[in-house]
């Protein structure tokens, strides 16, 4: 039986209630292995065989014709959200939940599915192979550390990609960021304006642009008043990391009267340590955070913080990737979103 005859016979028979890959192969007149490679968009399938498989898929209604459309358009109907952090960190951090909320909002009406990927240090090569293997149409990559090679690998593979945050590695990929530098500078200036003269900071990770930019912004704001900027400890954007960094700061600088924490979670940890040490907030030590997470308004006292538009961050990344997939021209290589100081009782 020829391939064409097989598809015509399938058409006369009508689609089965739950067609299998074997039925697709039989209708297309090819082996099951060839049908599988064609359905999954893999190489080593002739153009003629791929066409016959696509026709059989459509006739039989295999997977509601989604596979047939994928074969015809070379699209998977999915994009990946890559969180370059361990799963337990991502799933417990409210920042990532709000980014995800923004991304889902940005995908509304697109009929694209979202695949969530989180770092697995035991299989980083498999992680890259999956993304470059034709399983998704594009990727959003968030929370990069150091000169992570992943964005470069995706660009080299021709996969459309948008980065969340300025990359430290040299890579020709668009990114969306928030104005971390000026947000942190505004926090420092506010503390100085309120009369604080021994100001410390709990900076973010040293291998992330967001940590570097917020530390640089804090230093710039301090420099305007001629206040020393040596009281620096680094944290990992967690409550525990902020608490530990605050203990180190109190040990090294017991007379400090203010602290800028580069995230609200680290600010929460710092406030726990200050309370335990008998320091009143803000009378003895003023505290400013960064993010304006929901918890900021419920802390004791409520936290003065720098608001970043987290959901808008996710929506803007998604818009930029969808525009690239649609072939739009004149797209910006980078987008910077504004920040705003939110005044509450902690500083």
């Amino acid at each position: 039986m020829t391939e064409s005859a097989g598809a015509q016979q399938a058409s006369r028979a009508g689609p089965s209630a739950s067609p299998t890959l074997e039925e697709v192969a039989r209708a297309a007149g090819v082996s099951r292995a060839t049908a599988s490679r064609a359905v999954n968009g893999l190489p080593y399938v002739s153009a003629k065989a791929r066409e016959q498989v696509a026709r059989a898929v459509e006739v039989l209604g295999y997977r509601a014709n989604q596979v047939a459309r994928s074969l015809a358009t070379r699209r998977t109907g999915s994009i990946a959200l890559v969180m370059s952090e361990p799963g337990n960190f991502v799933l417990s951090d409210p920042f990532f939940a709000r980014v995800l909320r923004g991304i889902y909002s940005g995908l509304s009406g697109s009929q694209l599915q979202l695949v969530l990927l989180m770092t697995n240090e035991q299989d980083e090569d498999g992680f890259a192979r999956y993304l470059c293997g034709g399983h998704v149409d594009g990727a959003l990559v968030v929370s990069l550390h150091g000169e992570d090679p992943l964005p470069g690998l995706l660009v080299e593979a021709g996969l459309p990609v948008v980065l969340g945050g300025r990359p430290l590695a040299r890579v020709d990929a668009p990114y969306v960021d928030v104005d971390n530098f000026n947000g942190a500078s505004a926090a420092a200036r506010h503390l100085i304006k309120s009369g604080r003269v021994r100001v410390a900071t709990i900076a973010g990770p040293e291998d992330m642009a967001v940590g570097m930019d917020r530390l640089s912004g804090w230093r710039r704001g301090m420099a305007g008043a001629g206040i020393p900027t040596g009281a620096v400890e680094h944290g990992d954007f967690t409550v525990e990391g902020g608490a530990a960094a605050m203990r180190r700061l109190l040990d090294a600088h017991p007379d400090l009267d203010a602290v800028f924490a580069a995230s609200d979670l680290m600010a929460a940890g710092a406030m726990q340590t200050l309370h335990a040490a008998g320091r009143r907030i803000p009378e003895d030590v003023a505290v400013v955070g960064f993010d304006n997470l929901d918890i900021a308004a419920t802390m004791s006292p409520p936290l003065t913080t720098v608001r970043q538009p987290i959901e808008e961050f996710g929506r803007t990344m998604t818009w930029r990737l969808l525009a690239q997939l649609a072939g739009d021209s004149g797209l910006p290589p980078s987008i910077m979103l504004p920040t705003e100081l939110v005044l509450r009782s902690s500083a």
Side-chain angles (χ1 to χ4, degrees), residues 16-347:
S16 66
S18 181
T20 66
L21 186 62
E22 285 79 2
E23 290 175 292
V24 171
R26 192 161 50 247
V30 301
S31 69
R32 187 187 186 283
T34 296
S36 177
R37 287 197 299 273
V39 162
N40 289 289
L42 298 177
Y44 308 116
V45 181
S46 69
K48 182 178 180 181
R50 195 180 298 276
E51 178 184 352
Q52 289 302 120
V53 171
R55 187 180 305 165
V57 163
E58 184 174 4
V59 167
L60 293 173
Y62 185 67
R63 291 190 184 179
N65 289 330
Q66 180 59 44
V67 175
R69 287 195 295 271
S70 296
L71 288 169
T73 64
R74 300 283 184 173
R75 290 288 181 88
T76 67
S78 300
I79 64 169
L81 170 59
V82 183
M83 301 285 200
S84 296
E85 301 285 358
N88 59 345
F89 182 83
V90 170
L91 297 175
S92 64
D93 192 315
F95 170 82
F96 291 114
R98 288 177 63 179
V99 171
L100 187 58
R101 191 183 310 160
I103 291 170
Y104 268 115
S105 174
L107 286 174
S108 177
S110 70
Q111 297 186 329
L112 288 171
Q113 298 298 313
L114 186 66
V115 179
L116 177 60
L117 302 174
M118 293 172 283
T119 296
N120 179 357
E121 294 180 357
Q122 284 71 45
D123 191 22
E124 290 184 349
D125 290 341
F127 197 68
R129 282 198 303 272
Y130 174 83
L131 290 167
C132 298
H135 301 287
V136 295
D137 297 327
L140 304 168
V141 183
V142 177
S143 202
L144 288 166
H145 288 261
E147 296 192 2
D148 191 324
L150 180 62
L153 293 173
L154 301 184
V155 171
E156 288 177 9
L159 184 72
V161 58
V162 175
L163 308 180
R166 179 176 64 85
L168 293 179
R170 295 181 63 127
V171 58
D172 186 19
Y175 67 87
V176 176
D177 205 353
V178 301
D179 193 352
N180 295 299
F181 180 90
N182 284 314
S185 181
R189 292 196 307 272
H190 171 71
L191 289 170
I192 293 166
K193 185 178 179 180
S194 67
R196 309 293 169 157
V197 295
R198 295 178 296 277
V199 185
T201 188
I202 301 174
E206 296 180 84
D207 66 343
M208 298 183 73
V210 59
M212 296 168 60
D213 291 346
R214 291 178 190 176
L215 177 57
S216 296
W218 172 79
R219 284 178 167 149
R220 176 66 185 87
M222 298 285 288
I227 295 177
T229 58
V232 178
E233 290 290 342
H234 290 269
D236 59 358
F237 291 143
T238 66
V239 174
E240 296 76 15
M246 191 71 248
R247 286 193 291 270
R248 295 194 298 271
L249 284 171
L250 287 177
D251 288 343
H253 307 276
D255 61 343
L256 62 83
D257 62 4
V259 60
F260 164 61
S263 80
D264 286 352
L265 293 184
M266 293 199 298
M271 291 170 71
Q272 290 177 3
T273 296
L274 289 168
H275 286 312
R279 304 295 180 93
R280 297 171 301 163
I281 304 170
E283 292 85 356
D284 300 325
V285 181
V287 180
V288 178
F290 200 114
D291 287 331
N292 197 36
L293 299 177
D294 293 341
I295 62 168
T298 63
M299 291 184 191
S300 181
L303 180 67
T304 291
T305 185
V306 178
R307 186 189 75 85
Q308 62 166 321
I310 303 175
E311 285 90 349
E312 183 63 22
F313 175 73
R315 283 193 296 270
T316 304
M317 287 180 62
T318 307
W319 166 80
R320 181 59 178 77
L321 181 61
L322 295 186
Q324 186 172 343
L325 290 173
D328 291 356
S329 60
L331 294 171
S334 64
I335 301 170
M336 184 74 73
L337 301 177
T339 55
E340 175 190 9
L341 186 65
V342 178
L343 299 179
R344 297 192 180 98
S345 304
S346 69

